[in-house]
Amino acid sequence: MFATMNESSMEAKTKHSISEQKAFDSDIEWSFDYTQDFIERKNWDKQTLEIQFMDGHTKLQKGAKVWTKSVEGVIMETEYLAFDPPSKIAVRMLNRSSIFKEFVGSWNYIPMNTRQTILKITYDFSLRFPYNLLKLLVFQRIQRNMVKKLDFLASYLNENEPKDTHES
């Protein structure tokens, strides 16, 4: 696992990007479907308290709107900017946040071979005052939460082995 923090040259004081990644012993199609299934996500993602469609949307696709509430009480309304099975999803925050001016998250699924996939989560964001004054602390908290999310997934998969989707 690794983390990066990049600041765009145009908005060096306000734009931030954090990435974390982890490899899993499952193929890319299964990994994508499993992690994007709301019912399954409630089983492994211990940071997401509630997740549901909003504004009449009933399936994940580009343009779908989703409401989430974290265990920390953070509510985020998002719109899917990309839904490209089995390789990528991207969402942007729609609601006003006390922490973020802007927030875009993406999950990229990278096949290592037919039985292993890397899940790379990237968050791009701008912070509101006074959080912009505490950007290192905020960055560390977000990074820690990203690592936890990937660790929760790994732990759950280790306890509940994914079915082999390939025949020998």
Side-chain angles (χ1 to χ4, degrees), residues 6 10-12 16 19 21 31-32 42 48 51 59 66 74 76 80 82 85-86 111-112 132 151 155 163-164 168:
N6 300 317
M10 242 167 38
E11 298 178 271
H16 308 284
S19 293
Q21 68 181 27
S31 297
F32 185 92
K42 289 176 185 177
T48 301
I51 185 167
K59 72 176 199 169
V66 174
V74 177
M76 193 173 285
Y80 274 73
M112 292 175 60
N132 60 339
D151 287 347
S155 177
K163 293 179 179 149
D164 190 355
S168 300

Side-chain angles (χ1 to χ4, degrees), residues 117-167:
T117 303
I118 293 172
L119 173 54
K120 180 181 181 183
I121 300 175
T122 302
Y123 295 154
D124 297 300
F125 56 91
S126 298
L127 297 171
R128 291 193 181 282
F129 178 83
Y131 297 98
N132 60 339
L133 302 176
L134 307 167
K135 66 183 174 183
L136 182 59
L137 293 173
V138 173
F139 175 83
Q140 290 170 339
R141 176 74 173 259
I142 292 169
Q143 180 187 12
R144 190 169 43 249
N145 285 346
M146 293 169 82
V147 169
K148 278 185 182 178
K149 185 177 294 292
L150 291 166
D151 287 347
F152 284 142
L153 178 58
S155 177
Y156 189 81
L157 292 178
N158 285 338
E159 294 169 9
N160 303 278
E161 289 284 324
K163 293 179 179 149
D164 190 355
T165 58
H166 298 279
E167 294 183 22

Side-chain angles (χ1 to χ4, degrees), residues 34-35 37-52 156:
Y34 183 78
T35 58
D37 181 304
F38 287 179
I39 293 169
E40 292 295 345
R41 185 159 173 187
K42 289 176 185 177
N43 291 328
W44 66 265
D45 186 352
K46 302 305 178 198
Q47 294 175 323
T48 301
L49 186 61
E50 297 178 51
I51 185 167
Q52 62 191 25
Y156 189 81

Side-chain angles (χ1 to χ4, degrees), residues 22-41 44 51 53 59-62 64 80-91 105-121 150 153 157 162-163 165-166:
K22 191 170 189 99
F24 298 95
D25 291 330
S26 57
D27 71 47
I28 190 170
E29 288 86 7
W30 189 92
S31 297
F32 185 92
D33 292 344
Y34 183 78
T35 58
Q36 293 304 308
D37 181 304
F38 287 179
I39 293 169
E40 292 295 345
R41 185 159 173 187
W44 66 265
I51 185 167
F53 288 105
K59 72 176 199 169
L60 290 177
Q61 61 188 12
K62 184 176 179 180
Y80 274 73
L81 300 174
F83 188 78
D84 301 320
S87 58
K88 179 182 182 174
I89 66 99
V91 297
S106 64
W107 291 22
N108 290 279
Y109 300 79
I110 305 153
M112 292 175 60
N113 56 50
T114 59
R115 296 176 190 262
Q116 290 186 313
T117 303
I118 293 172
L119 173 54
K120 180 181 181 183
I121 300 175
L150 291 166
L153 178 58
L157 292 178
K163 293 179 179 149
T165 58
H166 298 279

